[in-house]
Amino acid sequence: MGSANNQGFCWWFLPKVTHYSLTLLLSTVMLADAVGATPRNIGLQIAQRPGTTQQNATRAAAERVFQEGLKLYQQGTAESLRQAIAKYQEALKLWQQVDDKPWEAETLNNIGKVYDDLGEKPEALKYYNQALPILRAVGDKGMEASTLNNIGSVYGSLGEKQEALKYLNQALPISRAVGDTKVEAVTLAYIGKVYDNLGEKQEALKYFNQALPILRAVGDKGMEASTLINIGIVYSDLGEKQEALKYLNQALPIGRAVGDRKVEARTLNDIGFVYISLGEEQEALKYFNQALPLLRAVGERRREATILSNIGAVYNYSLGEKQEGLKYYNQALTILRAVGDREEEAKMLFHIALLESSQGNLQPAQTHIQVAIEIFEDLRAKIANEELRAAYSASLQRYYQLNTYLLMELQKKDP
């Protein structure tokens, strides 16, 4: 629970073995949520574009539908996001009819971002990858950097850290070359999140602390709040809980002030996560239960899974209500599978395995942990860099330890 990318804490005992610390399941702030570009209106002036009367009429219709999609996106509800996709798809066909490549790429990016926000990462990736070659062809370096960021963030969310860094390290020099400091800050924060996922906490802080003053300088309050959250998470993982609360409590009023329910919900979740580590579980539940309806309202299913798993952890580990905990875990697992988040699915399976093991259900527990390990092995194989792969492998030791324990116990029962 708590932190998908962070090696946090947990409170549990394996039966008949020495107690050791384990991470809670899900990320307080996942990579793709760390920072994000909002779909935008690039404001092309239809009247300035030469063309036939029919072409101009098509462009005018396309821009009108595009703006309708943008307004629906800005409403931020699950229903309005789905409606925004339909509007953008309608606009896309019209831009393609008049062969307007810049607007076509813009619209593809916006469709991708909506799917990204809905937690449908593979679908988001499909649209970002359609936009990228168009932007390169028309020479829009700023949007190329933003799209590389988007692609990198999705790969990070899917657990493909090396692929994420490949795209982000392409984006950073481009954003600096064109002087787009906001996009540069986004890239820095995304890179920080990848290192956080890899357990490289000090390296993560280095990038987050480069991003934060830039975001403040450009006045991007939403991104500032997200970066404060990420810094808070790192401090929590480093055991500096009061320092973590300091940053999270800076982020919460910013998220509320800008009306960003997603940032508000993430911050509430993360504050709850820190309170768990301080042994104040009822305080944690208070924050989790504030976050859950906000996330459901905006249709952010991956984050909903985070909250469900965190609530499940409180019932399971602190209150001793195993069946109630399992109920929340299984709700989270269903969502994670639906949105294709394999890394978080594996982490959820791990905690379900722990719960089953604590109740003496060794065979189901071993089945769950074996599936989790298979997922992680597949993700690890996609990390080409040996050093990063080693760091990722080290973070998985608790999964192998649990599997070994369960296999030994099963062998005792059935020699």
Side-chain angles (χ1 to χ4, degrees):
M1 282 95 319
S3 182
N5 37 32
N6 309 314
Q7 305 312 310
F9 58 88
C10 195
W11 355 279
W12 60 280
F13 291 84
L14 277 178
K16 303 180 184 177
V17 295
T18 303
H19 170 257
Y20 56 98
S21 175
L22 289 178
T23 284
L24 289 183
L25 172 65
L26 288 178
S27 176
T28 45
V29 177
M30 302 177 204
L31 174 62
D33 304 324
V35 287
T38 301
R40 65 189 180 105
N41 174 10
I42 56 180
L44 295 178
Q45 298 300 310
I46 300 298
Q48 295 176 358
R49 295 207 162 209
T52 65
T53 301
Q54 181 59 48
Q55 287 174 325
N56 287 337
T58 302
R59 286 195 181 101
E63 185 168 88
R64 184 185 68 252
V65 176
F66 181 96
Q67 293 292 340
E68 291 170 0
L70 186 62
K71 289 176 182 177
L72 287 164
Y73 174 84
Q74 290 168 341
Q75 290 177 25
T77 67
E79 182 181 2
S80 73
L81 292 177
R82 295 289 177 189
Q83 292 171 344
I85 290 173
K87 290 292 184 181
Y88 285 142
Q89 292 281 13
E90 186 180 344
L92 180 62
K93 292 177 183 177
L94 294 170
W95 296 127
Q96 289 169 340
Q97 284 178 28
V98 294
D99 195 31
D100 194 318
K101 294 300 185 185
W103 271 100
E104 180 182 349
E106 178 80 10
T107 308
L108 287 165
N109 247 322
N110 282 17
I111 296 171
K113 184 64 175 70
V114 181
Y115 278 119
D116 209 340
D117 285 0
L118 288 167
E120 300 178 28
K121 304 300 178 179
E123 195 68 11
L125 195 58
K126 182 177 80 175
Y127 284 94
Y128 292 150
N129 279 324
Q130 290 179 59
L132 186 59
I134 298 173
L135 292 165
R136 285 172 169 164
V138 300
D140 189 334
K141 291 294 187 181
M143 279 298 292
E144 179 186 346
S146 292
T147 305
L148 288 165
N149 276 343
N150 291 339
I151 294 171
S153 79
V154 170
Y155 277 119
S157 295
L158 295 174
E160 299 186 32
K161 299 347 185 244
Q162 186 67 33
E163 198 69 6
L165 284 175
K166 183 181 84 174
Y167 283 93
L168 296 172
N169 284 323
Q170 291 178 57
L172 190 57
I174 295 173
S175 63
R176 286 173 170 166
V178 299
D180 193 328
T181 54
K182 179 176 177 179
V183 174
E184 177 188 351
V186 171
T187 311
L188 290 165
Y190 277 150
I191 293 172
K193 206 62 196 170
V194 176
Y195 281 113
D196 189 9
N197 280 331
L198 289 166
E200 301 283 345
K201 304 301 179 181
Q202 294 301 331
E203 193 71 4
L205 277 179
K206 183 180 81 174
Y207 281 95
F208 291 145
N209 284 322
Q210 288 179 62
L212 188 59
I214 300 174
L215 293 168
R216 285 173 169 161
V218 299
D220 191 326
K221 292 295 186 181
M223 292 276 290
E224 177 188 346
S226 290
T227 305
L228 287 166
I229 292 169
N230 287 325
I231 294 172
I233 292 167
V234 174
Y235 278 117
S236 178
D237 290 344
L238 291 172
E240 300 183 35
K241 306 302 179 182
Q242 294 304 322
E243 193 71 6
L245 284 175
K246 183 181 84 173
Y247 281 93
L248 294 171
N249 283 321
Q250 289 179 55
L252 187 58
I254 295 174
R256 285 172 170 164
V258 299
D260 192 327
R261 287 181 290 178
K262 293 177 183 178
V263 170
E264 179 184 355
R266 291 167 196 157
T267 314
L268 289 165
N269 173 67
D270 299 341
I271 292 172
F273 178 67
V274 175
Y275 276 117
I276 288 176
S277 70
L278 293 170
E280 301 182 34
E281 288 83 7
Q282 292 298 335
E283 191 71 6
L285 274 180
K286 183 180 79 174
Y287 281 95
F288 293 150
N289 285 321
Q290 289 179 62
L292 189 58
L294 290 173
L295 292 167
R296 285 176 168 161
V298 298
E300 195 174 346
R301 303 202 71 208
R302 291 171 73 248
R303 183 63 53 193
E304 180 185 346
T306 301
I307 303 294
L308 289 166
S309 67
N310 286 350
I311 294 172
V314 174
Y315 281 112
N316 176 27
Y317 295 120
S318 178
L319 302 179
E321 299 181 27
K322 302 291 185 182
Q323 290 307 309
E324 192 70 7
L326 188 59
K327 181 183 78 174
Y328 281 98
Y329 283 172
N330 282 324
Q331 289 179 52
L333 183 63
T334 298
I335 293 172
L336 292 168
R337 285 174 167 165
V339 302
D341 192 329
R342 299 186 69 224
E343 184 171 36
E344 298 308 320
E345 176 190 345
K347 292 178 181 179
M348 188 74 260
L349 286 165
F350 170 74
H351 284 271
I352 292 173
L354 282 175
L355 191 154
E356 294 281 15
S357 175
S358 72
Q359 295 189 301
N361 301 325
L362 300 180
Q363 189 59 63
Q366 200 278 323
T367 299
H368 288 311
I369 197 62
Q370 185 61 45
V371 174
I373 287 172
E374 289 170 3
I375 293 171
F376 279 124
E377 291 285 0
D378 182 59
L379 293 173
R380 183 176 65 173
K382 294 176 180 177
I383 301 176
N385 182 283
E386 288 186 15
E387 185 177 344
L388 293 177
R389 189 166 63 244
Y392 191 62
S393 297
S395 72
L396 304 179
Q397 288 306 305
R398 60 192 181 279
Y399 298 89
Y400 296 109
Q401 290 169 358
L402 177 58
N403 190 45
T404 299
Y405 164 76
L406 290 169
L407 288 171
M408 290 172 61
E409 291 297 305
L410 284 167
Q411 190 174 32
K412 289 178 187 176
K413 291 185 67 175
D414 187 21

